[in-house]
Amino acid sequence: MTETYQVVIVGGGFAGVAAARDLGRKGIEVLLIDKNNYHQFQPLLYQVATSQIGVSEVSRPLRAIFHRRRSVRVLTDEVTAVDAAAHTVTTVDGTTYRGEILVLAAGAEPNFFNTPGAQEHAYPLYSLLDATRLGGAMVNLLDRSDRESAGAGSVNIVVVGGGPTGVETAGAIAENIKYVVPGYFSTALAARCHVHLVDLVPSVLGAFSVKSQTYARKHLIKAGVRLHMGTGVTEVRDDGVTLADGTTIPSKIVVWAGGLKAGDILSGSGLPQGRGGRIDVRADLTAPHVDGVYVLGDAANITDARGAHLPQLGSVAQQSGAWAARNIHADLTGGTREPFRYTDKGYMAMVGRGAAVAEIGRKRVQMQGPLAFIAWLGVHVALLSGARQKASALLSWADDYLTHTRSHVVLGHPEVAPKE
């Protein structure tokens, strides 16, 4: 059985939601398919894992987003096959959906770079399930370590990846150890806990300026993070990691923030894959060699007007989705597509309480410290979906950053315990 729509969109992330929302405003018939019935705000998943904000603040039901857009149908299902030439997708029950226009915005998945043991033993941080599993595993680890004798060894958490996700995650865990663990457990346990940040590149935040890298490095060290830069991970085991220089770090929790790649769904689509398994799209965001197919967000390698590759950021995905909607409307109404013009908002990374780095706009106006921290908060509030989510996040941040408590609960369960 085949169902036909004007536009079929695969993926309910930043790009897919932005495209569906703008097309829905124009009354275009859209089918939006995602395996989850909610939109998730991935840049803040590390804060869910560290109990700074709750699940409801980074997720919003897709049907709530589109409940006033009657021309948009949300389908909770998993796409198992894509035929780009035919503009069709097939779901697990065998149903095929065809669109006059097909939009692939299915996001990405962790790239373990064939590191032995990483996929089996490391904790990625790309979905709500990832975040809650990691949060539960850390609670279990602390509970178990609290039962040990005072003379027991170190309690290590290893974060792999020195980009924004790795830096933000390592900083948040280190601040939990510094501020939260002594109050909820004991200072003796806090003294045994250590965070290690590992990356093959020689500096944290490689895409940032040297000034921002230096600030982030100093703040991480001040927070207690132990840096292992310039040496990669050669193996992940259930009891720790081995580095390229032969160093071993015993750890029951290894967080993988080492990069992303396109999902497997693209491999059978018939589209040529480029760097990271993503599709090298044309300037108007359409796929090469086939008409009427758009690839957006983390599934695409997108370039700006100067031909430079754009990073896998929420702002890039959101803007590409909105731009694609304009071009799709032109396709359906006899108009002309226009090349994607990205408004460069720069880079940001939270390093800790009151500490962040920001390089704003194309000219990369640099900020470090409290001012960058405020800018980071403002940008992330603006990107959150829904007024309720924005207000709740602001309240959570106020409670978190003005005190040393955690208002959100992360439950430890045997099924999310560290793998042994």
Side-chain angles (χ1 to χ4, degrees):
M1 181 178 69
T2 300
E3 296 184 19
T4 301
Y5 296 81
Q6 285 183 287
V7 181
V8 171
I9 300 176
V10 180
F14 285 120
V17 165
R21 183 172 52 229
D22 287 3
L23 290 170
R25 287 171 181 160
K26 294 178 172 65
I28 293 173
E29 185 186 41
V30 176
L31 175 66
L32 177 64
I33 309 174
D34 195 285
K35 65 181 179 181
N36 300 314
N37 65 359
Y38 54 85
H39 167 74
Q40 61 183 10
F41 190 82
Q42 291 166 336
L44 293 179
L45 291 177
Y46 79 94
Q47 293 203 356
V48 175
T50 53
S51 304
Q52 291 177 270
I53 56 178
V55 169
S56 61
E57 289 152 11
V58 299
S59 61
R60 187 183 179 195
L62 287 168
R63 289 183 176 84
I65 296 175
F66 296 106
H67 74 284
R68 294 182 179 176
R69 305 287 177 230
R70 297 303 180 187
S71 66
V72 179
R73 177 192 173 194
V74 174
L75 176 65
T76 304
D77 209 339
E78 184 173 1
V79 172
T80 57
V82 173
D83 186 336
H87 293 190
T88 62
V89 299
T90 303
T91 54
V92 289
D93 64 357
T95 303
T96 298
Y97 301 91
R98 184 186 183 279
E100 292 181 52
I101 304 294
L102 175 62
V103 179
L104 302 177
E109 61 186 37
N111 190 347
F112 296 105
F113 298 100
N114 298 316
T115 305
Q119 187 165 1
E120 294 80 9
H121 302 298
Y123 288 84
L125 197 52
Y126 192 67
S127 69
L128 274 176
L129 178 59
D130 291 339
T132 55
R133 282 181 59 84
L134 174 59
M138 289 192 291
V139 168
N140 284 340
L141 179 62
L142 289 172
D143 281 336
R144 185 172 55 189
S145 300
D146 187 50
R147 297 192 296 267
E148 296 174 345
S149 64
S154 296
V155 180
N156 296 315
I157 295 176
V158 177
V159 180
V160 180
T165 299
V167 166
E168 291 178 335
T169 302
I173 296 173
E175 291 206 335
N176 271 5
I177 291 170
K178 183 176 181 180
Y179 296 116
V180 180
V181 173
Y184 286 6
F185 292 92
S186 68
T187 55
L189 177 56
R192 294 169 50 206
C193 295
H194 306 287
V195 181
H196 300 259
L197 181 62
V198 183
D199 202 329
L200 181 61
V201 300
S203 179
V204 298
L205 300 178
F208 288 69
S209 68
V210 173
K211 184 177 180 181
S212 294
Q213 292 173 0
T214 301
Y215 176 89
R217 180 184 181 91
K218 288 182 177 178
H219 191 89
L220 287 170
I221 293 173
K222 182 179 179 181
V225 178
R226 301 182 178 185
L227 301 180
H228 306 263
M229 308 305 297
T231 181
V233 174
T234 58
E235 183 184 13
V236 179
R237 303 178 309 279
D238 61 359
D239 62 350
V241 300
T242 300
L243 307 185
D245 62 5
T247 302
T248 60
I249 305 173
S251 176
K252 289 296 185 183
I253 295 181
V254 177
V255 184
W256 194 268
L260 299 171
K261 63 178 181 178
D264 291 339
I265 193 66
L266 291 181
S267 61
S269 66
L271 298 174
Q273 293 177 265
R275 179 171 53 93
R278 295 179 286 269
I279 307 301
D280 295 325
V281 296
R282 294 182 285 200
D284 58 9
L285 302 175
T286 58
H289 313 310
V290 59
D291 198 28
V293 178
Y294 290 77
V295 188
L296 310 175
D298 286 345
N301 288 320
I302 302 174
T303 56
D304 62 14
R306 298 174 297 174
H309 282 281
L310 296 176
Q312 266 59 55
L313 295 175
S315 59
V316 175
Q318 193 172 62
Q319 289 184 48
S320 71
W323 197 277
R326 294 172 54 181
N327 281 345
I328 291 169
H329 184 257
D331 290 339
L332 296 173
T333 58
T336 303
R337 299 174 190 154
E338 294 184 9
F340 177 48
R341 291 195 296 273
Y342 174 60
T343 301
D344 192 340
K345 298 182 179 179
Y347 301 102
M348 292 183 173
M350 170 85 75
V351 190
R353 181 186 305 264
V357 294
E359 299 180 4
I360 307 298
R362 179 164 295 188
K363 294 185 178 180
R364 296 292 185 263
V365 176
Q366 295 188 28
M367 294 184 288
Q368 291 86 29
L371 187 60
F373 176 79
I374 293 172
W376 184 97
L377 291 175
V379 167
H380 284 72
V381 167
L383 285 172
L384 280 169
S385 177
R388 181 176 299 177
Q389 284 73 17
K390 296 175 191 289
S392 183
L394 284 171
L395 289 173
S396 294
W397 283 330
D399 179 57
D400 181 63
Y401 295 128
L402 296 177
T403 69
H404 294 307
T405 63
R406 288 289 185 266
S407 59
H408 295 279
V409 176
V410 174
L411 302 178
H413 294 291
E415 63 269 21
V416 295
K419 305 174 182 69
E420 296 184 272

